[in-house]
Amino acid sequence: ADPQAPAPEPVADPQAAPETLADSKAALKSRFSVQRLFSYSQRESMELRRDPFRATLALLGTGLLMLIMGYGINLDVENLRYAVLDRDQTGASQEYALNLSGSRYFSEKTALRDYTDLDQRLRSGEISLAVEIPPNFGRDLARGSSPEIGFWVDGAMPTRAETIKGYVAGIHNSYLQQHLLETGKVSSSPVNIALRYRYNPDVQSLPAMVPAVIPLLLMLIPAMLTALGVVREKELGSITNLYVTPVTRLEFLLGKQLPYIALGMINFFMLVLLAVLVFGVQVKGSMLTLTVGALLYSICSTGLGLLMSSIISSQMAAIFGTAIVTLLPAIQFSGLINSVSSLEGVGAFIGNIYPTTHFLTISRGVFSKGLGLADLYTYFIPLLVAIPVLTLLSVAGLKKQEK
């Protein structure tokens, strides 16, 4: 053999090439790539700009709902229509009736003639309160007795009825105290209660509802948009790219999520501006604390949308399913209406783990009580825990869809 002769070239094994290609793809897919993640984010942002329905819902839907709910959900009782059935017709009874008409909470209507008129006008909704002053009211009051005055309240709306009851009791007690002072008599009660409301001195609905509506809307709209973004890929068949390219499920989901987190933060700042400029509800605490809480909360809400999209395959089902899992717990179990501490069993469990519960406390604390991070940091922990849990569940759900 000639030592100077070139060595023979190795013969390629035809079965080794596919295995090497498959191994390289598997190795590439096993590594997390930020570049691939941002590529999907850019693609989703382009899809949002091309879809007028989702773009409109993302930018205008939240603000419109804020205006509707802010002005529509009003538990204040003002200009309450009432009428008096004066069966005494004395100066004392007329003075008592004037005491009611002088309040800004009440609007007096034509006097009642009898019980039939009282029942008919309450039934028709012409009045919400009927006041019955009994016979001999003035005489019994002058003698130091305690005459009973009848208040007939329309109880069709229990919350409103309880508010009316509180107003009436307050005005009645104020009249009795004034009467005792004028007659020189001493009140039989040895202790007087001085009631003061902090954080909302006028006990108005708007300063209480606006900070509560913001978490509700930040949960509904971003979650719904995120779910639609992923389910749309399934309906169009473009999700096949996920299965034939090196993109991992985590990269795909996070890439789809990022644009909606950004939209959620835009909506958050828009809602805060509406609260301050339109509704006149000022941010008394740390805006930075509120912003960080909103960021974590937006990640949670979009993560919930990802979870729904990973187990649902149609856009219509995604809309209804996301609305159910966001609105019902946010309204019933988060402390929006009733305190979470008053819940029991499954309701208490849902209330304690649901993200809206904790961001609602942050929102109310910053808006109404002037709190900051040092006062509210414990409510950030459940949000931080919920983020990886929702992400892992979404990845697991998408894996089942692939099979």
Side-chain angles (χ1 to χ4, degrees), residues 35-36 39 84 103 139 154 189 198 223 254 295 318 348 350 373:
Q35 184 178 359
R36 292 195 297 260
S39 296
V84 178
S103 170
R139 185 193 65 185
D154 182 355
S189 176
R198 297 191 64 184
L254 293 181
L295 177 60
I350 296 174
L373 184 60

Side-chain angles (χ1 to χ4, degrees), residues 137-382:
F137 169 78
R139 185 193 65 185
D140 293 343
L141 196 63
R143 290 178 176 178
S145 303
S146 301
E148 292 186 355
I149 298 178
F151 291 93
W152 305 81
V153 181
D154 182 355
M157 297 177 62
T159 303
R160 180 181 174 87
E162 284 295 323
T163 305
I164 295 173
K165 174 185 173 182
Y167 287 170
V168 167
I171 293 176
H172 176 76
N173 291 331
S174 176
Y175 170 81
L176 292 181
Q177 292 292 333
Q178 185 65 28
H179 176 75
L180 290 173
L181 289 175
E182 291 176 354
T183 56
K185 297 180 180 178
V186 181
S187 173
S188 59
S189 176
V191 179
N192 292 324
I193 298 176
L195 185 61
R196 301 289 185 270
Y197 291 96
R198 297 191 64 184
Y199 314 123
N200 188 5
D202 297 328
V203 200
Q204 295 178 341
S205 294
L206 208 57
M209 291 305 300
V210 168
V213 169
I214 292 177
L216 183 64
L217 297 180
L218 286 182
M219 173 56 72
L220 174 64
I221 302 298
M224 190 176 295
L225 289 172
T226 308
L228 287 175
V230 178
V231 171
R232 187 169 179 269
E233 298 262 6
K234 295 181 181 180
E235 288 190 345
L236 295 177
S238 55
I239 198 171
T240 308
N241 296 329
L242 170 66
Y243 306 143
V244 298
T245 59
V247 179
T248 64
R249 300 177 190 91
L250 183 60
E251 292 166 0
F252 171 77
L253 290 175
L254 293 181
K256 302 286 285 187
Q257 184 182 15
L258 284 180
Y260 298 104
I261 294 175
L263 276 176
M265 293 307 296
I266 293 173
N267 285 330
F268 162 71
F269 289 115
M270 181 177 63
L271 292 176
V272 172
L273 285 176
L274 285 175
V276 175
L277 301 179
V278 177
F279 296 105
V281 180
Q282 302 299 318
V283 180
K284 299 178 181 178
S286 170
M287 185 63 192
L288 179 60
T289 300
L290 185 62
T291 303
V292 174
L295 177 60
L296 297 178
Y297 185 64
S298 295
I299 299 175
C300 290
S301 63
T302 53
L304 191 57
L306 286 180
L307 178 59
M308 294 302 298
S309 68
S310 67
I311 59 178
I312 293 177
S313 299
S314 69
Q315 295 190 57
M316 190 61 66
I319 291 175
F320 284 103
T322 306
I324 290 173
V325 301
T326 55
L327 279 181
L328 288 181
I331 293 175
Q332 294 293 331
F333 306 120
S334 68
L336 181 66
I337 299 175
N338 300 312
S339 174
V340 177
S341 60
S342 66
L343 301 176
E344 297 180 355
V346 177
F349 175 75
I350 296 174
N352 284 310
I353 67 171
Y354 202 70
T356 305
T357 302
H358 308 287
F359 184 63
L360 179 61
T361 304
I362 295 172
S363 180
R364 282 176 170 167
V366 172
F367 268 99
S368 302
K369 299 182 179 181
L371 303 182
L373 184 60
D375 307 296
L376 299 168
Y377 72 93
T378 55
Y379 298 99
F380 285 79
I381 298 175

Side-chain angles (χ1 to χ4, degrees), residues 89-148:
Q89 297 296 331
T90 61
S93 64
Q94 294 173 7
E95 181 184 0
Y96 188 89
L98 287 174
N99 185 62
L100 286 173
S101 63
S103 170
R104 68 182 178 90
Y105 301 111
F106 296 95
S107 175
E108 186 176 11
K109 300 300 178 183
T110 306
L112 299 168
R113 298 186 301 272
D114 49 33
Y115 287 114
T116 303
D117 187 28
L118 183 152
D119 184 65
Q120 180 181 357
R121 292 169 70 177
L122 277 175
R123 283 177 179 271
S124 66
E126 181 183 346
I127 59 174
S128 299
L129 172 67
V131 182
E132 179 192 357
I133 301 178
N136 303 320
F137 169 78
R139 185 193 65 185
D140 293 343
L141 196 63
R143 290 178 176 178
S145 303
S146 301
E148 292 186 355

